[in-house]
Amino acid sequence: MTKFLVDRMLGQTTKWLRFMGIDAKYAPKGDDEKLLEIAEEEDRVLITRDKELANNDRVMLVEKAPPEEIIPKILKIYDTELKPLTRCSNCNTLVEKIEKQEIIGKVPEGVLERNDEFWICDGCGKVYWKGTHWENILKKIDKMKEKF
Ligand SMILES: [Zn+2]
């Protein structure tokens, strides 16, 4: 599976790749050389709008566009596996299932009442569940899938 390093200008794209379960690291501040170095070291494809980086086989150049347009282009080219709800959209860490009683106090009571399955991120502590927000995410992912 291809892993990605995503340019700081493409925050929304990073988030949506993570929603899909794809390993997408947000590029740290640094010059082009540093980014290429990280991509090389961690075996990632650098997704960027920086045309100066175009002539490198580790780089995918994208236009300024919303994630709905950028992501299908990425997934057309690279080998990926879509596993929604496996990765934290905040920090890219894989999430783990957690027992309901362990998150009491961490999510609103209404959410606890309406849901039985929860996931937590070890990296930043964010708790996930399949609420209406999640259904909307899945719908959007399905729409993107139609394009590749
Ligand atoms: Zn996290």
Side-chain angles (χ1 to χ4, degrees), residues 88 90-91 121 124:
C88 179
N90 248 356
C91 70
C121 169
C124 71

Side-chain angles (χ1 to χ4, degrees), residues 3-135:
K3 296 182 290 178
F4 299 95
L5 177 66
V6 191
D7 196 297
R8 298 189 71 80
M9 286 183 283
L10 298 164
Q12 280 301 311
T13 296
T14 311
K15 205 171 179 177
W16 277 94
L17 285 170
R18 290 172 181 172
F19 278 143
M20 294 170 145
I22 295 168
D23 188 336
K25 184 173 181 168
Y26 203 37
K29 273 187 190 144
D31 53 24
D32 292 352
E33 251 167 69
K34 179 75 191 158
L35 296 187
L36 286 174
E37 211 176 281
I38 296 170
E40 191 74 44
E41 263 168 32
E42 299 183 13
D43 193 22
R44 293 175 184 273
V45 170
L46 175 61
I47 297 176
T48 182
R49 280 167 45 195
D50 185 350
K51 291 193 175 66
E52 284 170 29
L53 286 166
N55 293 321
N56 188 302
D57 38 344
R58 215 167 246 296
V59 172
M60 178 181 176
L61 195 66
V62 295
E63 300 286 319
K64 188 179 182 188
E68 297 93 303
E69 284 175 38
I70 294 177
I71 287 175
K73 285 180 189 157
I74 297 171
L75 303 186
K76 231 177 229 171
I77 301 177
Y78 297 101
D79 186 24
T80 51
E81 190 183 0
L82 301 196
K83 285 186 184 168
L85 208 74
T86 55
R87 200 171 281 279
C88 179
S89 61
N90 248 356
C91 70
N92 202 36
T93 307
L94 289 171
V95 297
E96 281 171 41
K97 259 211 153 153
I98 187 166
E99 293 299 322
K100 196 172 181 172
Q101 56 265 31
E102 287 183 62
I103 48 133
I104 293 170
K106 288 183 184 171
V107 297
E109 259 179 54
V111 170
L112 269 183
E113 279 165 25
R114 287 190 301 269
N115 296 278
D116 286 315
E117 283 186 307
F118 294 90
W119 291 261
I120 191 162
C121 169
D122 239 3
C124 71
K126 191 171 175 181
V127 177
Y128 291 86
W129 61 91
K130 292 177 177 170
T132 41
H133 178 56
W134 180 247
E135 282 161 28

